[in-house]
Amino acid sequence: MNATMSLEKIKHYPVMLNQILSIISPQRGGTYIDCTFGAGGYSKEILKFPNTKVIALDRDKLSENYANPLLKKFPKRFNFFKDKFSNLNKLAERKLKPKAIIFDLGLSSLQLSDNKRGFSFESENFLNMEMGINDYSAYDVINSLDKEHLGSIIKILGEEKEGKRIANEIDKHRRRKPIKNSKELASIIKKAKRKNISYKKNPATKTFQAIRIFVNKELTELILGLIGATKLLSNGGILIVVSFHSVEDRIVKNFFNLHSDIKSNPSRYLPLKESKSNLFKTVCKKVLIPTSSEINENSRSRSAKLRYAVRNDASFINSDEFEKMFLNYLELEGASIW
Ligand SMILES: C[S@@+](CC[C@H](N)C(=O)[O-])C[C@H]1O[C@@H](n2cnc3c(N)ncnc32)[C@H](O)[C@@H]1O
């Protein structure tokens, strides 16, 4: 049995699908951009409505296996690009007028369950953690990145208080011999963590999150993706983001707050903004979460948070203010690892 066949047996649940469909109302037709195609959960549902078109992107080659049947079935209504969503601006000249642009961030259950990718704590395969179209792997980061930067990544991107201790322990091990797989890395992290705390999750969870975010430059992707999507949307277009951890959600929330009237000022440290920077006429005031029945059926959905906003007709010219807000993440992810 090859890897794809066995992965196809994994049940795939598109997270918060019903809420998304009720926000985007595909029964009225229109063009949709699915920035994180994965196994095509959202795209397939949208294409069930006859007057819809879907343009989908995913950086992972694995997604082509799920996109190809849709390309065959809907040659005029579906298109797929193996690309990163930071490159959404490439679609600008097509004058698509999308009704909605959707991001469902993070890893798919297929990626998580594929032992070869090195995302799980138990994997004894190469320490990879790449989603696709990467400059380096987790192996490179763990074995080459300088100790101080490694500690900052773990602390800031993983929100792991013990980042420095963990980086020191990793450094101690890699000086003797390279750290080759996720299982080995998870046990080194466990050793570094304080013993008097009982952990509900695997003690390596936050560090793995940090390394994965860094390897895939996920926050830079999100920041550029939000900017690109907002530029592509015209008056009435909807921007929807489903995120899975607080660092991502903070970026999305601040982006919507900064460019709408929802709060008079997104941060008390910033000067009061003028309404000319408003790009959204409606922003969902409260974050949406999965129903308890969805969480019962698919426990991975439990940390999902959905935010959306509806575009006004102002042009989006300057993204400096937003990029400045998260410069620390952009600089952290932009560091050279060699
Ligand atoms: C949570 S899954 C999406 C699942 C999808 N909604 C479904 O129902 O099948 C996230 C997907 O986004 C992709 N992805 C993550 N970051 C990306 C990026 N910057 N550009 C393009 N694709 C990305 C991943 O490869 C993964 O396949």
Side-chain angles (χ1 to χ4, degrees):
M1 196 191 295
N2 67 32
T4 316
M5 279 167 69
S6 55
L7 284 175
E8 274 166 4
K9 289 196 175 150
I10 294 165
K11 182 124 172 66
H12 174 69
Y13 300 91
V15 171
M16 301 186 75
L17 177 65
N18 290 335
Q19 282 110 312
I20 289 184
L21 292 176
S22 76
I23 296 164
I24 64 172
S25 38
Q27 56 280 8
R28 299 202 197 122
T31 299
Y32 296 88
I33 304 184
D34 180 354
C35 292
T36 48
F37 177 80
Y42 298 161
S43 292
K44 268 186 235 161
E45 280 304 311
I46 296 169
L47 287 164
K48 283 184 183 163
F49 297 90
N51 295 318
T52 55
K53 282 187 179 168
V54 175
I55 297 181
L57 281 83
D58 202 294
R59 63 191 290 178
D60 193 342
K61 205 174 172 327
L62 182 67
S63 284
E64 287 174 330
N65 296 327
Y66 299 88
N68 288 338
L70 289 182
L71 285 166
K72 263 200 191 145
K73 195 168 172 194
F74 303 105
K76 295 212 171 99
R77 297 207 284 129
F78 179 68
N79 214 336
F80 176 80
F81 297 96
K82 184 168 102 39
D83 207 341
K84 296 193 275 191
F85 54 60
S86 54
N87 290 324
L88 264 180
N89 56 340
K90 284 189 192 162
L91 296 176
E93 71 246 28
R94 295 181 174 229
K95 308 241 178 306
L96 297 167
K97 282 215 159 212
K99 240 180 105 174
I101 303 185
I102 310 164
F103 294 84
D104 176 18
L105 300 172
L107 291 174
S108 66
S109 33
L110 305 164
Q111 290 167 323
L112 262 170
S113 319
D114 185 353
N115 242 342
K116 287 204 198 73
R117 311 290 291 262
F119 293 117
S120 74
F121 307 118
E122 291 304 317
S123 170
E124 292 185 67
N125 290 294
F126 179 66
L127 188 51
N128 183 311
M129 295 198 195
E130 295 169 53
M131 286 185 185
I133 324 180
N134 294 68
D135 297 330
Y136 38 75
S137 63
Y139 176 90
D140 300 325
V141 175
I142 290 296
N143 290 295
S144 305
L145 187 64
D146 85 82
K147 194 172 72 174
E148 278 67 39
H149 201 79
L150 187 60
S152 307
I153 284 169
I154 299 172
K155 187 162 176 221
I156 298 169
L157 303 185
E159 300 190 306
E160 165 62 88
K161 289 192 196 98
E162 296 181 81
K164 200 167 168 193
R165 285 169 68 101
I166 293 168
N168 283 340
E169 190 68 28
I170 290 174
D171 191 54
K172 213 168 87 190
H173 277 74
R174 70 187 182 180
R175 280 170 189 274
R176 291 202 291 270
K177 64 176 176 57
I179 299 163
K180 288 215 175 79
N181 61 51
S182 304
K183 196 170 177 181
E184 202 183 334
L185 178 62
S187 92
I188 294 168
I189 297 165
K190 193 172 169 200
K191 223 165 118 191
K193 299 265 296 181
R194 283 176 217 281
K195 306 290 171 292
N196 54 353
I197 302 171
S198 71
Y199 299 102
K200 277 195 204 132
K201 292 181 181 167
N202 187 306
T205 304
K206 291 181 172 184
T207 305
F208 269 52
Q209 172 185 306
I211 304 298
R212 192 202 86 199
I213 291 177
F214 183 74
V215 166
N216 296 290
K217 295 192 167 60
E218 289 178 43
L219 304 184
T220 308
E221 281 294 310
L222 175 59
I223 290 165
L224 299 181
L226 291 173
I227 294 169
T230 307
K231 287 185 175 166
L232 278 185
L233 288 167
S234 46
N235 195 5
I238 308 168
L239 176 54
I240 304 182
V241 188
V242 181
S243 66
F244 291 86
H245 56 77
S246 52
V247 184
E248 285 172 345
D249 184 53
R250 199 174 308 132
I251 294 175
V252 180
K253 184 174 154 188
N254 277 285
F255 180 66
F256 286 160
N257 282 352
L258 179 67
H259 293 298
S260 72
D261 270 331
I262 189 161
K263 268 191 187 169
S264 58
N265 207 36
S267 157
R268 62 199 161 101
Y269 302 110
L270 290 172
L272 264 175
K273 72 189 172 69
E274 294 169 15
S275 61
K276 70 174 189 279
S277 70
N278 282 357
L279 300 168
F280 300 100
K281 53 185 169 191
T282 319
V283 175
C284 69
K285 289 205 176 64
K286 239 181 114 192
V287 71
L288 306 178
I289 54 170
T291 59
S292 46
S293 69
E294 175 167 1
I295 296 172
N296 283 342
E297 201 178 346
N298 173 22
S299 64
R300 277 184 184 158
S301 70
R302 69 187 177 276
S303 46
K305 290 199 163 83
L306 186 157
R307 294 185 190 271
Y308 71 94
V310 183
R311 196 73 169 82
N312 65 16
D313 59 2
S315 322
F316 187 13
I317 297 160
N318 192 345
S319 54
D320 289 359
E321 200 180 344
F322 175 51
E323 286 178 50
K324 247 187 256 158
M325 255 175 145
F326 292 106
L327 201 60
N328 60 335
Y329 293 150
L330 293 168
E331 284 178 353
L332 254 188
E333 290 189 346
S336 159
I337 71 153
W338 310 112

